[in-house]
Amino acid sequence: MSGDYRLGKSRLEAFSDGVIAIIITIMVLELKVPHGDELQALYPLLPVLLSYVLSFVYIGIYWNNHHHMLHAVRHVNGRVLWANLHLLFWLSLIPFVTGWMGENHFAPRPVALYGLVLMMAGIAYFILAHALIRLHGRDSALALALGRDVKGKASVAIYAVAVALSFVAHWLALGLYVLVAIMWLLPDPRIEKTLDE
Amino acid sequence: MSGDYRLGKSRLEAFSDGVIAIIITIMVLELKVPHGDELQALYPLLPVLLSYVLSFVYIGIYWNNHHHMLHAVRHVNGRVLWANLHLLFWLSLIPFVTGWMGENHFAPRPVALYGLVLMMAGIAYFILAHALIRLHGRDSALALALGRDVKGKASVAIYAVAVALSFVAHWLALGLYVLVAIMWLLPDPRIEKTLDE
Amino acid sequence: MSGDYRLGKSRLEAFSDGVIAIIITIMVLELKVPHGDELQALYPLLPVLLSYVLSFVYIGIYWNNHHHMLHAVRHVNGRVLWANLHLLFWLSLIPFVTGWMGENHFAPRPVALYGLVLMMAGIAYFILAHALIRLHGRDSALALALGRDVKGKASVAIYAVAVALSFVAHWLALGLYVLVAIMWLLPDPRIEKTLDE
Amino acid sequence: MSGDYRLGKSRLEAFSDGVIAIIITIMVLELKVPHGDELQALYPLLPVLLSYVLSFVYIGIYWNNHHHMLHAVRHVNGRVLWANLHLLFWLSLIPFVTGWMGENHFAPRPVALYGLVLMMAGIAYFILAHALIRLHGRDSALALALGRDVKGKASVAIYAVAVALSFVAHWLALGLYVLVAIMWLLPDPRIEKTLDE
């Protein structure tokens, strides 16, 4: 429409897959091989491992949802490419905030920063979804599938609450991150349903 | 069938290839470049190199079998995506346990932990196979090819034995890991045979 | 033509995507997880983060433009493969110069070296574009789209000026890098326009 | 034929591209960001950079030749998958030997080990080529293109000579590595020619 330059989505998918695959894997480099072969040598790694598991699930959720969303898409343009890179930027900071949170045993400030990056990634995903809807039209399968996007907006709101909570009750904030992860764990039924019909 | 949302398998393959390619390659980062140019400087790296070779073969086996299994598959769903991520999670811990085992010259506890991660990866592969069979039906090419999956179940059992053995005879445990690797080295003849007919 | 061996472009795209995805992601490894959980522990990382953002945008621009250029291309040959590897070589040095610039708080010499690598990448992109035009002909869509390539040549010239400026006014040099980035942020309208017609 | 299980070659290419892209990029991590912003701080990195350039070209050659060889191939089997993994194993050791050689300023033993890994990679490439010929037949396009494979055999022989030479004249050995690289720099004209006819 209106001179909009259209690109195939395959290279966008391939590049995103590459970046997300690297992000999910380099986090494991924070699990530094300990000196000594006693099991006690592993104890300090436990919080690092736990924060790795949480972030692995989050990156998995983003890959999953990205997969589903792009599946419902026919083409992309320059705006979408940059909205996608913007999302990848915030995801690329997750290994760093995961490491900081794990090494400091879920202390308040690292937990807050972790939530801040999650919130920014959530906003970036929202922007990407809307760049795609703008390209495909308000009556496209994707737009109908996303609907009013209650889940996406709720996640960002919960992250914001959790960041503020971190300074007074950081375990509660962490619980909220786990809650949002569980909420997203299943692939989005809205998109599945609409596309299935 | 029955409202099951179907996705192409190509992006699942691409993402898995990416993660497995990174896992197999970052293990080599544990081979830290030594100071000094004498050959003796390399001696402490020998056990690290040996454990790298074993893990390289194991990751290669998983990639190979994953390749064959997905080849026999027509589509995937949300459950399969998560079963696949679950497998990738355990595979992503292999560089860590490889490094710990290598740097401690195959001491009992690192050998046990190595086997534990192998066992969990074996179970995760089993879960993935069954998620795929559930989607394609009990009379699908894949289901017939896997049959009673004796080899998969035997591997998990041998890993469990080896983990227990590690504390009394860790070289024997290590021998069992090598044995299972040899057992899997060839691509699964069951799948090859069924698909060939 | 004339005995020129033609290859599909898909593997070139896949390999480039892989390398660029890794480059954009390993830069984040320079953001070393700090000891201590106070926010002050993050302050020394601020210049590293800023230089990461700049380089993330630059790598994103290269990926974007590479995507657009290859989109306008039908096939590749040996010369193109090597021109592409040459470009990837200079891009692969960006994490190093980014780290050096960030850790030295944008000191003159690191800023100059950063610009030198950007300049070499710009020249390598120019060489790649011309290898592609040579293969597709002066009247190809790509050649018409690139036209006189004012933007490409201007970028290289500005980098050269910025490198020289680094030693007398390094903040100005940095400003020029930001300026060129903004200039390129949008996908190339020349290619979009020509292909759209 | 004859009960040979055939797989598409696309996932083999994708996985190899992934591993080779990671290998070529993680070498740059050996270029550790120096402390201090003087140009002198970069001097100790010069031999590391030079050995990086040599290995970058070598990995580029392998990717290029792999690209051309697989282009002439129609399908793969289990033997080919493992011959390919075997090649990737030796290539994966190149970052390590590159780092050792660079940090020890091209001392005799690191230069010898570098050549040994190149030789093993050359042999692995030879094995892969023959596994592919065995699958496609002695009168296939690939077999005719490879012919008597003089260049491949000569390279392995030169590496062997260079390894022995390392202990008496390591600069000469290094010169031989550069010579072989130049010899391979162009994509294989044999394959290009045969396929073009």
Side-chain angles (χ1 to χ4, degrees):
Chain A
M1 283 148 237
S2 65
D4 236 331
Y5 178 52
R6 275 139 186 243
L7 293 165
K9 67 178 180 177
S10 63
R11 238 190 120 178
L12 178 81
E13 289 182 324
F15 184 70
S16 305
D17 282 354
V19 172
I20 295 174
I22 297 159
I23 290 171
I24 213 171
T25 323
I26 62 172
M27 281 193 296
V28 95
L29 295 175
E30 271 310 310
L31 279 173
K32 303 251 166 63
V33 172
H35 296 289
D37 66 335
E38 328 84 60
L39 289 181
Q40 293 94 301
L42 296 180
Y43 292 167
L45 288 175
L46 218 69
V48 183
L49 180 66
L50 283 178
S51 63
Y52 173 55
V53 171
L54 181 62
S55 293
F56 190 97
V57 170
Y58 260 113
I59 301 283
I61 289 167
Y62 271 103
W63 179 72
N64 241 325
N65 288 343
H66 195 271
H67 186 144
H68 281 88
M69 185 160 68
L70 267 292
H71 187 74
V73 152
R74 284 190 311 279
H75 43 258
V76 298
N77 61 359
R79 181 179 288 114
V80 168
L81 293 187
W82 279 105
N84 192 59
L85 276 165
H86 178 234
L87 171 61
L88 294 179
F89 174 76
W90 291 107
L91 294 181
S92 82
L93 293 182
I94 286 184
F96 172 76
V97 292
T98 303
W100 201 41
M101 187 168 78
E103 291 201 2
N104 289 290
H105 299 206
F106 304 100
R109 273 156 298 213
V111 167
L113 190 68
Y114 186 82
L116 197 72
V117 169
L118 285 183
M119 192 180 77
M120 294 310 293
I123 293 172
Y125 190 83
F126 180 85
I127 293 172
L128 173 60
H130 283 263
L132 284 165
I133 288 175
R134 189 168 158 176
L135 182 63
H136 288 77
R138 299 224 143 263
D139 52 352
S140 62
L142 178 71
L144 294 172
L146 278 172
R148 284 172 44 230
D149 194 18
V150 179
K151 212 156 98 177
K153 287 173 190 160
S155 303
V156 172
I158 296 174
Y159 294 142
V161 169
V163 170
L165 259 179
S166 300
F167 298 97
V168 289
H170 58 286
W171 291 106
L172 199 58
L174 208 63
L176 287 177
Y177 303 154
V178 174
L179 188 82
V180 175
I182 291 170
M183 195 172 97
W184 281 103
L185 257 181
L186 300 171
D188 200 321
R190 293 167 300 169
I191 295 186
E192 293 198 16
K193 214 170 173 181
T194 311
L195 292 185
D196 243 31
E197 277 155 14
Chain B
M1 285 149 236
S2 65
D4 235 333
Y5 178 51
R6 276 136 186 245
L7 294 164
K9 66 178 181 177
S10 62
R11 237 189 121 179
L12 179 80
E13 290 183 322
F15 184 71
S16 306
D17 282 354
V19 172
I20 296 174
I22 297 159
I23 291 171
I24 214 170
T25 323
I26 62 172
M27 282 193 294
V28 95
L29 295 176
E30 271 309 310
L31 279 173
K32 305 252 166 62
V33 172
H35 297 289
D37 65 336
E38 328 85 60
L39 289 182
Q40 292 94 302
L42 296 180
Y43 293 168
L45 288 175
L46 217 68
V48 182
L49 181 66
L50 282 179
S51 63
Y52 173 54
V53 172
L54 181 63
S55 293
F56 190 97
V57 170
Y58 260 114
I59 302 283
I61 289 167
Y62 271 104
W63 179 72
N64 241 326
N65 288 342
H66 195 271
H67 187 144
H68 280 89
M69 185 160 68
L70 267 293
H71 186 74
V73 152
R74 285 189 311 280
H75 43 258
V76 299
N77 62 0
R79 182 178 288 114
V80 169
L81 294 187
W82 279 105
N84 192 60
L85 276 166
H86 178 234
L87 171 62
L88 294 179
F89 174 76
W90 291 108
L91 294 181
S92 83
L93 293 182
I94 286 184
F96 172 75
V97 292
T98 302
W100 201 41
M101 188 169 76
E103 291 201 1
N104 289 290
H105 299 206
F106 304 100
R109 273 156 298 214
V111 167
L113 190 69
Y114 186 83
L116 197 72
V117 169
L118 285 184
M119 193 180 76
M120 294 310 294
I123 292 171
Y125 190 82
F126 180 85
I127 293 172
L128 174 60
H130 283 263
L132 284 165
I133 288 174
R134 189 168 158 176
L135 182 63
H136 288 79
R138 299 224 145 264
D139 51 352
S140 62
L142 178 71
L144 294 172
L146 278 171
R148 284 172 45 231
D149 195 16
V150 179
K151 212 155 99 178
K153 288 171 190 160
S155 303
V156 172
I158 296 175
Y159 294 142
V161 170
V163 170
L165 259 180
S166 300
F167 298 97
V168 290
H170 58 285
W171 292 107
L172 199 58
L174 208 64
L176 287 177
Y177 303 154
V178 174
L179 188 82
V180 175
I182 291 169
M183 196 172 96
W184 279 104
L185 258 182
L186 300 171
D188 200 321
R190 294 167 300 168
I191 294 186
E192 293 198 14
K193 214 169 170 184
T194 312
L195 292 185
D196 243 33
E197 279 155 13
Chain C
M1 271 143 246
S2 65
D4 235 330
Y5 178 51
R6 275 138 185 245
L7 293 164
K9 67 179 181 178
S10 63
R11 237 190 121 178
L12 178 81
E13 289 182 324
F15 185 71
S16 305
D17 282 354
V19 171
I20 295 174
I22 298 158
I23 290 172
I24 214 169
T25 324
I26 61 173
M27 281 193 295
V28 94
L29 295 175
E30 271 310 309
L31 279 172
K32 304 251 165 63
V33 172
H35 296 289
D37 65 335
E38 328 84 59
L39 289 182
Q40 294 94 303
L42 296 181
Y43 293 168
L45 289 174
L46 217 68
V48 182
L49 180 66
L50 283 179
S51 63
Y52 173 54
V53 172
L54 180 62
S55 293
F56 191 97
V57 170
Y58 260 114
I59 302 283
I61 289 168
Y62 271 104
W63 179 72
N64 240 326
N65 287 343
H66 194 272
H67 187 143
H68 280 87
M69 185 160 67
L70 267 293
H71 187 74
V73 152
R74 284 189 311 279
H75 43 257
V76 299
N77 62 0
R79 181 178 288 113
V80 168
L81 293 187
W82 279 105
N84 192 58
L85 276 165
H86 178 235
L87 171 62
L88 295 179
F89 174 75
W90 291 108
L91 295 181
S92 82
L93 293 182
I94 286 183
F96 172 76
V97 292
T98 303
W100 202 41
M101 187 169 76
E103 291 201 2
N104 288 292
H105 299 205
F106 304 99
R109 274 157 297 212
V111 167
L113 190 68
Y114 187 82
L116 198 71
V117 169
L118 285 184
M119 192 180 78
M120 294 309 294
I123 292 172
Y125 191 82
F126 180 85
I127 293 172
L128 174 60
H130 283 264
L132 284 165
I133 288 175
R134 189 168 158 176
L135 182 62
H136 289 77
R138 300 225 144 264
D139 52 352
S140 62
L142 178 72
L144 293 173
L146 278 172
R148 285 173 42 230
D149 194 18
V150 178
K151 211 155 98 177
K153 287 173 190 159
S155 303
V156 172
I158 297 174
Y159 294 141
V161 169
V163 170
L165 259 179
S166 300
F167 298 98
V168 291
H170 59 285
W171 291 107
L172 198 58
L174 207 64
L176 287 177
Y177 302 154
V178 173
L179 187 83
V180 174
I182 292 170
M183 195 171 97
W184 280 104
L185 257 180
L186 299 171
D188 200 321
R190 293 167 301 168
I191 295 186
E192 293 199 16
K193 214 171 173 181
T194 311
L195 292 185
D196 242 31
E197 277 155 14
Chain D
M1 271 145 247
S2 70
D4 236 332
Y5 178 51
R6 275 138 186 246
L7 293 165
K9 65 179 181 178
S10 63
R11 238 190 119 178
L12 178 80
E13 289 182 323
F15 184 71
S16 306
D17 282 355
V19 172
I20 295 174
I22 297 158
I23 290 171
I24 214 170
T25 324
I26 62 173
M27 282 194 294
V28 94
L29 294 176
E30 271 310 309
L31 279 173
K32 305 251 165 63
V33 173
H35 295 289
D37 65 335
E38 329 83 60
L39 289 182
Q40 292 94 303
L42 296 180
Y43 293 167
L45 288 175
L46 218 69
V48 183
L49 180 66
L50 283 179
S51 63
Y52 173 54
V53 171
L54 181 62
S55 293
F56 191 97
V57 170
Y58 259 113
I59 302 283
I61 289 168
Y62 271 104
W63 179 72
N64 241 325
N65 287 342
H66 194 271
H67 187 144
H68 280 88
M69 184 159 69
L70 267 293
H71 186 74
V73 152
R74 284 189 312 279
H75 42 258
V76 299
N77 61 0
R79 181 178 288 115
V80 168
L81 294 186
W82 279 105
N84 192 59
L85 275 165
H86 178 235
L87 170 62
L88 294 179
F89 174 76
W90 291 108
L91 294 181
S92 82
L93 293 183
I94 286 184
F96 172 76
V97 292
T98 302
W100 202 40
M101 187 169 76
E103 291 201 1
N104 289 290
H105 298 206
F106 304 100
R109 273 157 298 213
V111 167
L113 190 68
Y114 187 83
L116 197 71
V117 169
L118 284 184
M119 192 179 77
M120 293 310 294
I123 292 172
Y125 191 83
F126 180 85
I127 293 172
L128 173 60
H130 283 263
L132 284 165
I133 287 175
R134 189 168 157 175
L135 182 63
H136 288 79
R138 299 225 144 264
D139 52 351
S140 61
L142 178 71
L144 293 173
L146 278 172
R148 284 172 45 228
D149 195 17
V150 178
K151 210 154 99 177
K153 288 172 190 159
S155 303
V156 172
I158 296 174
Y159 295 142
V161 170
V163 170
L165 259 180
S166 300
F167 298 97
V168 290
H170 58 285
W171 292 107
L172 198 58
L174 208 64
L176 287 177
Y177 303 154
V178 173
L179 188 82
V180 174
I182 291 169
M183 195 172 96
W184 280 104
L185 258 181
L186 300 171
D188 199 320
R190 293 167 300 167
I191 295 186
E192 293 199 15
K193 213 169 173 182
T194 311
L195 291 186
D196 243 31
E197 279 156 12

